[in-house]
Amino acid sequence: MRLPRRALLQGAAALGLGCRPRAAPPGRQLVRLWYTYGGKNRLVLEQLVAGFNAAQAEHWVQPVFQGDYYEGLAKLRTALAAGAAPALSHVVGEVIPYLAEAGVLEPLATRPGVDQLDLLPALGQAGTWRGGGQRPLVCLPFNRSTPIAFYDADVFEREGIAPPESWQALLEAARWLSTTDASGARRYGFACPIDWWFWAALVGQAGGELIEADGRISLGGVAGIKALELWQRMVNEDRSMKPPPGRDYNAWEATNQDFLAGRSVMIWTSTAFVRYLEDNARFNVRAAKLPGFVRRAVPTGGTHWILLRAAPEPEKAGAWQFLRYLHEPAQVARWATSTGYIPTTQSAVRRLTEAGHYAEHPNDAVALAQLDVAQPWPWSPRLFQLQREIIQPRLEAAVLGRQSPRAVMQDAVRLAQREP
Amino acid sequence: MPLRWPRRLGLVGLALPWLLPYAWMVSTSFKTLPELVAAPSAPLPSGLNLDAYAAVFEAMPVGAYLLNTTLMALAIGLLQLALALPAGYALSKLSFRGRGLAFGLVVATLLIPAQVRFVPVFTLLAEVRLTNTMTALVLPFAVSALGTFLIRQALLSVPPQLIEAARLDGAGELTIIYRLLPPLLRPSLVAAFLFSFVYHWNDYFWPLVMTTDDSVRTLPLGVALLREQGTGVRWHIVMAGNVLLSLPALLLFALTQRQLIHAAAGKAAGR
């Protein structure tokens, strides 16, 4: 075989290709935006970016996909360490306190026009975290959602059942709706991903807090145990709840598929799935608020915009202009109606109401109304660790492995109370 | 000798765990979303619906991603061969103190996954402003422990007299490494190249970490763009992307399978 000289030359050429990152058009400030979702959300975001780039001639936002939420976050942390972070990104709420305490987030309070942002209280920093309003503003809400119940309204009507308002009603409805046909196929009354977010909802409904007012990590105390007991009873004793296979978002998708295929009659999932479920179900999909135990409560979820302090000021200024553009009512409304996420500003809600959106889409109105019982998260740099390392890995083992909820939660609290 | 039918059946049965997921992927790519929702596990689509493929081409610059992926995988594969040949030669045909230890170290690096070293490598490349370049995708993989191992093992079956004779004829070491040995090692070289090519063709993690805009993005990242997070997955579109991603690698395998089987059978000298 001859020395593959031509191939080596081609390889060398390949090494040189693409060495120059795409630049902004002449005279415009490049603003790097790292985002973390594909599919429809990505298309809508890119349309909004294109709208901004066309609407002004000073800045040029360049959106770049960085994997899913957690891959994007890992990359952002690496880029921060390497001094290569972009000016603008969005991250899950659970990690904001950690990033803020690490000093990598740009304070936003002095940016021009910040006072004009009429955020929905439950979705902004002030409502998302306990004491969030007293801290320097470091994030703005983007794709925000809460857990919500969706049910097959046709089956509910046929069976004469109303959406459950309490845990007891949930237990009874799920049992009533669970059937096994002649072929042995099981239809479950209820399905829900065994996931931190829904566990946090149950903890809130049972009156618990993950971190007490004095800073002690309790993971809900008795409420955390009651949440696991409810799931265990529904899955193992009543066989009225289907635990979906898979982890993280795979389990969420399996929950949706089961619901759409009629294998479960009622599910808990994210408000963001409303359009997907409505468009693809062959039955009437209705939304309902989650039931209560000692109170009604839902956590909020999704991501928040952040500016990275280390980015050059001109780029951060451009990023801020883009955020202001995104928070104009037209853009907020477009994002919400195209994706299913909750609109984040009061002016956008007014705009949608006046346009008859909520009359036409009553399920969206349920999601909005449920914000009245949204519970703030504790502001803790360890929140993300509690989610990913302490709680999430134990939930499935506890529910499916029939471990003692008390023992599981005691173990979790013991680990959580250790210094990180 | 032709295989008897029970043996053939057995082989087909063994192949099914690999073939069925692929067949399901192809089948799903031709379905519509309502079909998928109604019966996600139905084996066949109702028709050859190409909407999902159209959606893939609409969602990403398939041609540009394909070109980037091809250039990256080719460059890595060729560089690995170019460097694994002298390394394998030294570890198998030259006598020097510490040769065994050097070989052990090469093999030990097989145990270190890319995820472990991505932070320091990213930091290093960021220092010299090489992130988001083809260099960042290629350079960290230019040296392959697996390639070195395969070529070293293949070289063990090359008679030392052959190399000695070449030296007596006046051939230098580089001539021996790059002119005399490659024809003898063809199956192993093809195998090493293919292992590398397919691995890097499919690699999602490293290009995701090292690239920060679309100019050097690869096809697996493009396929990940098709995945929804939060609004419901359109699996048929994701599967269409996966079919497109896998086709070139399958084609390459089909063209070179004879060499691969030779290498796997240990016919390193191509006889």
Side-chain angles (χ1 to χ4, degrees), chain A residues 59-401:
Chain A
H59 309 286
W60 183 264
V61 174
Q62 184 189 67
V64 184
F65 173 67
Q66 301 295 355
D68 68 20
Y69 288 164
Y70 303 108
E71 290 163 345
L73 183 59
K75 180 157 178 192
L76 193 64
R77 289 162 79 170
T78 311
L80 282 165
L88 181 61
S89 189
H90 64 114
V91 294
V92 289
E94 284 91 337
V95 82
I96 294 275
Y98 167 83
L99 294 175
E101 300 294 322
V104 299
L105 302 185
E106 174 78 4
L108 304 176
T110 56
R111 292 281 167 183
V114 70
D115 297 336
Q116 292 153 23
L117 299 174
D118 56 344
L119 303 176
L120 288 183
L123 300 182
Q125 180 176 310
T128 301
W129 291 276
R130 273 206 315 262
Q134 283 80 56
R135 296 177 182 278
L137 182 69
V138 290
C139 62
L140 293 177
F142 179 30
N143 57 312
R144 301 304 315 279
S145 54
T146 66
I148 197 168
F150 289 110
Y151 61 96
D152 180 336
D154 300 340
V155 173
F156 267 59
E157 194 180 342
R158 212 163 43 238
E159 301 286 343
I161 289 180
E165 301 266 335
S166 66
W167 283 15
Q168 186 57 36
L170 173 66
L171 284 167
E172 287 165 9
R175 267 200 307 263
W176 181 261
L177 293 166
S178 297
T179 56
T180 305
D181 67 17
S183 68
R186 181 92 176 149
R187 184 190 75 177
Y188 290 85
F190 180 60
C192 172
I194 308 291
D195 184 273
W196 143 271
W197 204 36
F198 301 101
W199 174 82
L202 292 170
V203 170
Q205 290 157 16
E209 300 284 349
L210 301 177
I211 299 177
E212 304 302 323
D214 61 5
R216 185 174 50 87
I217 298 175
S218 66
L219 301 179
V222 175
I225 298 168
K226 284 189 181 300
L228 284 182
E229 285 173 346
L230 178 75
W231 272 346
Q232 273 196 341
R233 178 172 171 187
M234 296 183 84
V235 170
N236 300 320
E237 291 172 34
D238 296 355
R239 291 191 61 231
S240 60
M241 169 179 160
K242 183 176 185 191
R247 289 181 184 278
D248 285 342
Y249 288 103
N250 289 326
W252 296 46
E253 286 153 17
T255 305
N256 290 341
Q257 292 298 320
D258 284 338
F259 180 60
L260 291 173
R263 288 188 290 271
S264 55
V265 186
M266 173 174 44
I267 59 172
W268 285 8
T269 185
S270 164
T271 51
F273 286 111
V274 62
R275 286 289 92 75
Y276 179 74
L277 296 175
E278 285 177 347
D279 292 348
N280 291 295
R282 289 169 298 168
F283 49 82
N284 282 312
V285 175
R286 286 284 175 269
K289 294 178 182 178
L290 297 197
F293 187 52
V294 302
R295 64 181 178 185
R296 303 294 274 261
V298 285
T300 59
T303 71
H304 301 252
W305 290 113
I306 52 170
L307 294 191
L308 282 308
R309 189 197 284 263
E313 177 52 34
E315 192 179 347
K316 287 189 285 194
W320 177 253
Q321 288 304 317
F322 176 61
L323 288 185
R324 286 188 68 184
Y325 170 82
L326 277 189
H327 283 82
E328 289 171 9
Q331 278 70 257
V332 174
R334 184 173 175 192
W335 171 255
T337 54
S338 302
T339 63
Y341 286 106
I342 302 173
T344 54
T345 63
Q346 298 175 42
S347 49
V349 171
R350 272 197 306 276
R351 183 189 179 102
L352 289 169
T353 307
E354 286 162 8
H357 176 80
Y358 291 108
E360 201 178 325
H361 298 281
N363 289 338
D364 290 17
V366 176
L368 195 62
Q370 198 179 220
L371 289 180
D372 291 347
V373 296
Q375 294 294 311
W377 294 99
W379 180 275
S380 166
R382 296 191 61 202
L383 188 56
F384 190 62
Q385 186 202 10
L386 294 181
Q387 175 199 358
R388 301 295 294 176
E389 295 173 21
I390 308 283
I391 295 295
Q392 187 69 39
R394 284 173 172 74
L395 292 179
E396 208 166 85
V399 175
L400 305 183

Side-chain angles (χ1 to χ4, degrees), chain B residues 58-122:
Chain B
E58 199 180 325
M60 61 176 170
V62 174
Y65 286 173
L66 198 64
L67 180 68
N68 285 340
T69 316
T70 308
L71 289 173
M72 178 195 72
L74 269 178
I76 291 174
L78 292 174
L79 270 175
Q80 286 189 350
L81 290 191
L83 295 174
L85 267 169
Y89 175 76
L91 291 171
S92 61
K93 297 297 177 198
L94 301 184
S95 295
F96 56 93
R97 186 176 298 189
R99 189 175 80 165
L101 178 67
F103 180 62
L105 284 174
V106 168
V107 174
T109 61
L110 284 170
L111 303 175
I112 303 172
Q115 285 82 350
V116 171
R117 53 193 169 93
F118 91 89
V119 173
V121 174
F122 184 93

